[in-house]
Amino acid sequence: MITSCVETKREPHTFSAGDKTFLLDGNPFVIKAAEMHYTRIPAEYWEHRIKMCKALGMNTICIYAFWNIHEQKPGIFDFSGQNDIAEFCRLVQKNDMYIILRPGPYVCSEWEMGGLPWWLLKKDNIQLRTNDSYFLERTRLFMNKLGELLADKQVTRGGNIIMVQVENEYGAFAVDKGYMANIRNAVKDAGFTEIPLFQCDWSSTFQLNGLEDLLWTINFGTGANIDEQFKKLKEVRPNTPLMCSEFWSGWFDHWGRKHETRDAETMVLGIKDMLDRNISFSLYMTHGGTTFGHWGGANSPAYSAMCSSYDYDAPISEAGWATPKYYKLRELLMQYADSSQMIPDVPEAYPLINIPRFEVNQVAPLFQNLPEPKFSENIKPMEKFDQGWGAILYRTSLPKVTEGTTLLIDEVCDWAQIYVDGIFLGCMDRHYGQNTLLLPALREGAQLDILVEAMGRVNFGMAIHDRKGITQKVELLTDNGNQELKNWSVYCFPVDYSFAKSKKYIMENKLDNPAYYRATFKLDKVGDVFLNMETWGKGMVWVNGKNIGRFWRIGPQQTLFMPGCWLKVGQNEIIIFDILGPNKAVVEGLKEPILDDLSAEVSTTHRTEGQNLNLQIEKPIATGVLKQGNGWQEVLFDKAMKGRYFCLLALDAQNGGNEAAIAEFYLLGEDGKPLPRQHWKIIYADSESTCDGNFTADKIYDLQESTYWKTSKEDKYPHQFIIAMQDEVMISGFRILPRVEECCPGMIKHYKAYVKSVPFEF
C-alpha cells in the first residue's frame, strides 16, 4: 500500500548561478545529483531508493517528467498512485534532498517515443519537436498541468526544486532557437520563474540552440576527456558554473545485443576529477530500475528496441541493491561531503524469495479470441485505429497467387508474422530491414493474416515520428506488375490487463501459434523475485494485473523483475501473451537476474565466416591522413562521386596499435552537408569486438557519441567497413568522430575511401 508523505511547510531559500559556482542561499554549492525515474520504480519503493541515493553521498535527485504516461489520452491527465510525481518530490524533500526537474516535453530516456504521447501521431502532418502549432499547444497544456503540481515546490517557496531543464539534447535533433525559446516560455508560463532554467547538450552541439538567458550544461559518459568536454563552454562562458548534467554510469540494453557494462573505477575517477574542479554532476543513472509494461523505446538507425530491464549497470541495481560500483562511489563521495551533509548508513535491500517452477496450463489461442474487427479499404497504421500499443492483425483475401510471387509489406513496424489460411509462412523483423516474403502458389480467396507487434517507438533522432503496425501498403510483386492489396479487416490487441484477462482460456499445455496463457500460484511469503522466461518465445507478462514488461528469447534479458510489493500471500495470477509460443509453458522465480544470455542464433557482427573483402581491383576516391585529437574531423574529396556503397579502409592507427575505433561517422552530400543515415546498413566489417562489450560497426551511425565501433585486439590492420545506402547519392567527403577519451584510443591515421554504385567483391 502506498502512503502519502505529509507535506510540511519549510523555509524558503534561494538558488542561483554565481561566478563559476552555484549558490544556495548565497553560499557555494556543488550539485551531486542522482538520476532515477519514479516511473521505473514501484511507488512503494520510492523512499527506499531515495534513501539509497542519500547514503551514497548525493544531495539532489534528478528526474524526468514523462508526458506520455501522464496523458495517455488527449486531455485526460493522471498524476495519481504510480504517477504521483508531486508525492515523489515530497519524499525527496522529507529526506533533505533537492530536485532537478526535467519536464521535456521530450526526454529521450530510452522511453517510448522519448516521452511524447503516441496520439500526437494521429495527426498526419504533425512535426514533433518543432514550432508545429498543435505540438506547441499540447506541450503548453502539459507544462501548465506540471506547473499546477510543482511550481510551488520551487526552493524559493519552501520546496526543494532547484533547477528546471528546457527540452533535452536538442542539438542532436535540430537547429531552431525559436523553438527552444517557445519551450522556455512554456516552462516559465507554467510558473517556473524563480530558479535557474538550463538546457543540456553534448560538447559538440551545445551552441547550436543555446539561449543567452539559460544555463548551459554538458552531457558525457565515463572515460570522457573532461578538459575537452568543457573546453568550448569555458571559452564562451568563462564565469558559468560547470555541470555535467548526464554523466553516464553505464548504458542501456537492446534486444539481441550483449548486456552493457561500464568500468566502476573509470566512473569514480571521472567524478573525482569533476569534484576536484568544483564541477557539479548528475549521475545518469544512479538507479535505473525497470521499464515496466510497454514503455520501452527504441533507437534508429538501425531500429533496435530496448529491453525491459533498465539496470544500466548503475551503482544501484535494477532491484535496488548496492553494487560494488555503489560502494566504490560512496567511498569517494564521503570524502567530498558538504560540512552540513550527514551521510546515513546504507539501507538494507528488500527480501528475496524463490518461486518453485509451476506450469502455465490455461491457454487462449489468439486466432480463436479475436476482438470485433474494424474495416478499412487501405492499410493504415495502428494510430488510425485509435490504438497506442500492443499488437494488430491485418486480414484480407488474396487473389490467385502463382509460385514465385513476392509479398511486400511497406513498412513493418516492428515485428510481423505472416499466415495464409492459418499456416505460418514467415516473419519480418524491422531491425534487419525485412519487408518481403516469397509466397508459394495459393488459391484465390486464401486468407492472408499479418500479425504485427509494436515493439516501442523510437526515442531519439528524427525517427521519433514512428507510427506502428503497417504504415504504407501491402503489395504482391510479380513479373507482370504489382498489385496492392485492399479491403482489410483489422483486429486490435491492446496491452491492457482487462483485455488479456477477458479471453476464453482452455486447459492446454502449449501452442506453437500466438496465444494468451494463464495460471495461478500460491505464496507463503512475498519478496522480490526474478521471473525466469527462458522457455518462452516473445511477448508480455502481467502479474496480479501489473504489466511487468516484455520478454524475448533472443536475450540478453531472460528474467523479469517482479517487485514483492505487487505479490500477495496466498493466490497470485500470471498472464503471459506469447506471440511465438513457448518451448515449455513453465515459470519459476529466481533470486538473481539473468541479464546477459544471448540466444546462439543471434548474430551481432557483420562478416560471415571466411568472407574477405577484395579491394585490390578498386580505385580509391581519396587517400589521406587523419589528425590526432578529440573532436570532429572533416574530409572533402577532390570531386564528388555518385554511389550507393561506401568503404573506408583504415591502414594504421595513430598510436601504432592494432585497434581501430570510430564513435560517429557521416557521409557528406554534394552540398557538403551530412547525408541522412536513417536507411544505412553495415554490410561488412572485417573486425568487431563483442567479447568485452557492444562495439559493432553499426555504432558509427547510432547517433550516440559515447558508443563506438572497435575492432578486436587480436586483429591487425588494415581494417575496413562498408556502408550500403538505400539509393545512389552524390558523396563529396565524410565527417569522423574518434572516441571521446583522452588520447582517442583506436584513432585511425592513414586511410583510403571508396565509392561504388555496385556491390564490392569478396
Side-chain angles (χ1 to χ4, degrees):
M1 181 176 178
I2 305 170
T3 57
S4 295
C5 171
V6 177
E7 188 166 21
T8 57
K9 188 66 177 176
R10 300 204 182 194
E11 291 297 317
H13 297 273
T14 62
F15 188 84
S16 61
D19 185 8
K20 301 184 183 68
T21 186
F22 291 106
L23 298 173
L24 178 64
D25 292 331
N27 299 311
F29 184 80
V30 175
I31 298 170
K32 292 171 281 190
E35 178 110 14
M36 62 181 186
H37 302 145
Y38 57 98
T39 54
R40 287 179 159 128
I41 308 165
E44 295 87 342
Y45 291 177
W46 282 348
E47 189 162 16
H48 175 267
R49 305 304 196 256
I50 293 166
K51 289 180 180 295
M52 289 288 291
C53 293
K54 187 175 180 67
L56 183 57
M58 302 294 196
N59 56 27
T60 303
I61 302 290
C62 190
I63 59 170
Y64 281 127
F66 295 85
W67 179 5
N68 57 6
I69 206 168
H70 292 298
E71 192 181 4
Q72 298 186 33
K73 294 183 178 180
I76 302 175
F77 292 92
D78 180 7
F79 290 97
S80 63
Q82 186 66 43
N83 289 348
D84 194 344
I85 187 173
E87 173 66 8
F88 183 87
C89 292
R90 283 190 287 269
L91 287 170
V92 172
Q93 186 167 22
K94 173 188 171 185
N95 286 276
D96 297 317
M97 299 181 76
Y98 298 101
I99 286 281
I100 294 176
L101 175 64
R102 308 212 283 165
Y106 163 83
V107 300
C108 186
S109 190
E110 293 69 61
W111 189 265
E112 155 88 7
M113 206 166 146
L116 303 178
W118 71 270
W119 43 262
L120 292 171
L121 297 175
K122 293 171 69 173
K123 192 170 184 286
D124 288 337
N125 60 348
I126 187 78
Q127 293 298 310
L128 305 173
R129 301 181 76 190
T130 72
N131 290 314
D132 180 290
S133 59
Y134 181 66
F135 179 76
L136 289 180
E137 172 193 343
R138 301 308 312 191
T139 294
R140 283 186 168 275
L141 290 172
F142 171 65
M143 288 295 176
N144 289 341
K145 284 291 182 181
L146 273 184
E148 292 173 15
L149 290 168
L150 300 180
D152 280 344
K153 290 180 170 44
Q154 293 172 94
V155 69
T156 50
R157 304 182 191 180
N160 62 334
I161 300 177
I162 56 174
M163 292 207 301
V164 178
Q165 183 175 298
V166 175
E167 244 281 350
N168 189 58
E169 295 184 332
Y170 193 68
F173 182 79
V175 179
D176 190 342
K177 289 190 178 183
Y179 167 74
M180 286 299 298
N182 280 326
I183 301 301
R184 175 203 59 200
N185 294 343
V187 172
K188 285 185 172 182
D189 291 346
F192 299 105
T193 57
E194 301 164 24
I195 53 178
L197 304 184
F198 72 101
Q199 56 192 117
C200 74
D201 242 309
W202 305 337
S203 61
S204 61
T205 57
F206 76 93
Q207 289 178 278
L208 297 177
N209 300 287
L211 301 183
E212 290 303 317
D213 60 332
L214 300 184
L215 280 169
W216 298 346
T217 63
I218 307 296
N219 296 350
F220 52 86
T222 57
N225 182 337
I226 291 173
D227 276 334
E228 189 69 26
Q229 293 296 318
F230 287 109
K231 181 179 178 182
K232 290 182 183 177
L233 179 56
K234 290 168 73 174
E235 289 174 357
V236 296
R237 288 191 169 181
N239 297 318
T240 190
L242 299 181
M243 181 173 181
C244 176
S245 39
E246 289 187 17
F247 187 61
W248 303 314
S249 65
W251 207 245
F252 44 87
D253 285 342
H254 300 254
W255 292 112
R257 299 185 188 175
K258 185 178 175 65
H259 174 55
E260 297 276 1
T261 60
R262 298 291 188 270
D263 179 65
E265 192 65 34
T266 304
M267 180 196 76
V268 171
L269 288 175
I271 292 175
K272 182 180 187 304
D273 194 358
M274 286 189 283
L275 290 174
D276 286 342
R277 303 168 193 234
N278 199 43
I279 298 174
S280 294
F281 69 89
S282 178
L283 187 63
Y284 189 106
M285 301 291 295
T286 299
H287 172 50
T290 308
T291 309
F292 296 109
H294 57 276
W295 293 108
N299 276 175
S300 180
Y303 178 85
S304 182
M306 309 300 177
C307 294
S308 291
S309 171
Y310 202 63
D311 179 84
Y312 212 86
D313 193 35
I316 303 171
S317 77
E318 178 181 10
W321 307 338
T323 67
K325 186 179 280 190
Y326 179 97
Y327 286 109
K328 281 182 180 291
L329 180 56
R330 185 172 189 265
E331 182 181 358
L332 172 77
L333 293 181
M334 290 183 75
Q335 301 171 33
Y336 289 83
D338 306 331
S339 58
S340 60
Q341 186 179 6
M342 295 294 294
I343 299 181
D345 293 336
V346 180
E348 290 187 8
Y350 283 111
L352 294 163
I353 62 169
N354 286 315
I355 299 177
R357 178 175 290 202
F358 61 89
E359 292 187 358
V360 184
N361 53 14
Q362 299 176 50
V363 182
L366 181 137
F367 288 110
Q368 280 75 57
N369 283 271
L370 297 179
E372 287 297 314
K374 302 176 182 181
F375 298 98
S376 178
E377 179 183 0
N378 298 311
I379 278 287
K380 295 178 183 177
M382 181 183 284
E383 291 80 5
K384 290 296 184 180
F385 300 101
D386 203 31
Q387 182 181 355
W389 314 281
I392 187 167
L393 175 66
Y394 298 89
R395 172 175 286 178
T396 194
S397 295
L398 289 169
K400 184 177 181 180
V401 174
T402 58
E403 189 172 354
T405 297
T406 296
L407 177 71
L408 169 70
I409 305 178
D410 193 12
E411 154 181 66
V412 173
C413 294
D414 303 299
W415 202 86
Q417 292 170 284
I418 296 91
Y419 299 82
V420 173
D421 290 335
I423 299 173
F424 175 72
L425 295 186
C427 63
M428 298 179 186
D429 188 339
R430 180 182 177 189
H431 174 73
Y432 297 108
Q434 297 167 341
N435 65 353
T436 60
L437 181 70
L438 193 63
L439 297 176
L442 298 168
R443 65 177 177 84
E444 182 179 359
Q447 179 179 285
L448 172 67
D449 284 334
I450 307 172
L451 179 63
V452 184
E453 182 192 18
M455 282 294 294
R457 290 182 177 84
V458 172
N459 57 259
F460 193 81
M462 295 303 296
I464 56 173
H465 297 77
D466 189 14
R467 295 176 175 88
K468 294 302 182 185
I470 301 175
T471 60
Q472 296 182 40
K473 60 185 176 181
V474 178
E475 288 185 314
L476 298 177
L477 310 182
T478 70
D479 293 338
N480 298 321
N482 303 343
Q483 180 180 354
E484 185 174 351
L485 298 179
K486 304 274 189 175
N487 301 317
W488 297 91
S489 297
V490 181
Y491 304 84
C492 298
F493 301 88
V495 295
D496 304 335
Y497 165 72
S498 59
F499 183 86
K501 172 84 169 175
S502 66
K503 301 292 160 281
K504 296 178 180 179
Y505 290 89
I506 58 174
M507 298 301 292
E508 183 71 52
N509 287 328
K510 74 181 189 70
L511 299 174
D512 293 328
N513 288 334
Y516 293 87
Y517 293 77
R518 182 182 179 275
T520 57
F521 58 97
K522 288 186 177 180
L523 296 176
D524 296 326
K525 61 179 180 180
V526 298
D528 292 347
V529 66
F530 299 90
L531 298 184
N532 188 355
M533 305 302 296
E534 286 181 292
T535 67
W536 294 82
K538 185 178 194 296
M540 278 186 173
V541 178
W542 296 260
V543 177
N544 295 335
K546 301 279 191 181
N547 188 331
I548 63 170
R550 302 179 188 272
F551 61 90
W552 194 356
R553 64 169 58 126
I554 67 173
Q557 179 182 354
Q558 300 290 352
T559 55
L560 288 171
F561 175 58
M562 180 69 230
C565 58
W566 294 346
L567 293 170
K568 300 180 290 186
V569 172
Q571 187 165 280
N572 295 265
E573 177 198 53
I574 185 170
I575 293 178
I576 302 168
F577 177 51
D578 194 328
I579 201 169
L580 279 175
N583 295 323
K584 293 181 181 179
V586 296
V587 174
E588 64 180 336
L590 309 177
K591 289 186 175 181
E592 293 282 344
I594 303 173
L595 298 179
D596 198 6
D597 185 4
L598 278 176
S599 167
E601 66 191 39
V602 175
S603 175
T604 59
T605 58
H606 299 87
R607 181 185 186 183
T608 58
E609 188 174 354
Q611 187 181 30
N612 290 292
L613 177 63
N614 181 13
L615 290 176
Q616 293 183 0
I617 60 174
E618 309 293 351
K619 182 179 179 181
I621 187 175
T623 62
V625 182
L626 296 174
K627 296 177 293 185
Q628 170 70 7
N630 293 109
W632 285 95
Q633 294 187 41
E634 186 168 284
V635 173
L636 295 176
F637 304 152
D638 292 336
K639 62 177 181 178
M641 185 172 180
K642 191 174 186 179
R644 186 185 171 196
Y645 301 91
F646 175 87
C647 174
L648 186 72
L649 171 64
L651 297 170
D652 55 11
Q654 298 280 354
N655 63 6
N658 287 342
E659 291 183 14
I662 298 175
E664 283 290 297
F665 191 87
Y666 281 93
L667 292 173
L668 305 178
E670 197 168 16
D671 58 0
K673 296 180 180 179
L675 292 166
R677 305 185 295 177
Q678 184 60 36
H679 298 289
W680 280 17
K681 290 181 183 178
I682 297 289
I683 59 172
Y684 178 81
D686 77 296
S687 178
E688 297 163 287
S689 178
T690 57
C691 293
D692 56 343
N694 292 312
F695 302 114
T696 51
D698 55 350
K699 296 295 185 293
I700 67 172
Y701 57 83
D702 68 352
L703 304 176
Q704 306 289 339
E705 293 188 0
S706 68
T707 61
Y708 49 89
W709 166 53
K710 184 181 72 171
T711 59
S712 295
K713 293 180 180 178
E714 62 272 15
D715 295 334
K716 297 180 180 180
Y717 275 87
H719 295 299
Q720 320 94 32
F721 63 80
I722 298 174
I723 299 167
M725 289 159 279
Q726 189 174 38
D727 302 299
E728 281 194 310
V729 293
M730 295 298 293
I731 301 173
S732 66
F734 62 83
R735 295 184 69 207
I736 187 169
L737 181 70
R739 288 171 61 176
V740 298
E741 294 93 336
E742 191 173 358
C743 299
C744 310
M747 178 66 186
I748 295 165
K749 189 174 183 180
H750 293 91
Y751 69 87
K752 292 183 180 180
Y754 301 82
V755 176
K756 291 190 69 176
S757 294
V758 296
F760 287 88
E761 294 185 12
F762 295 91

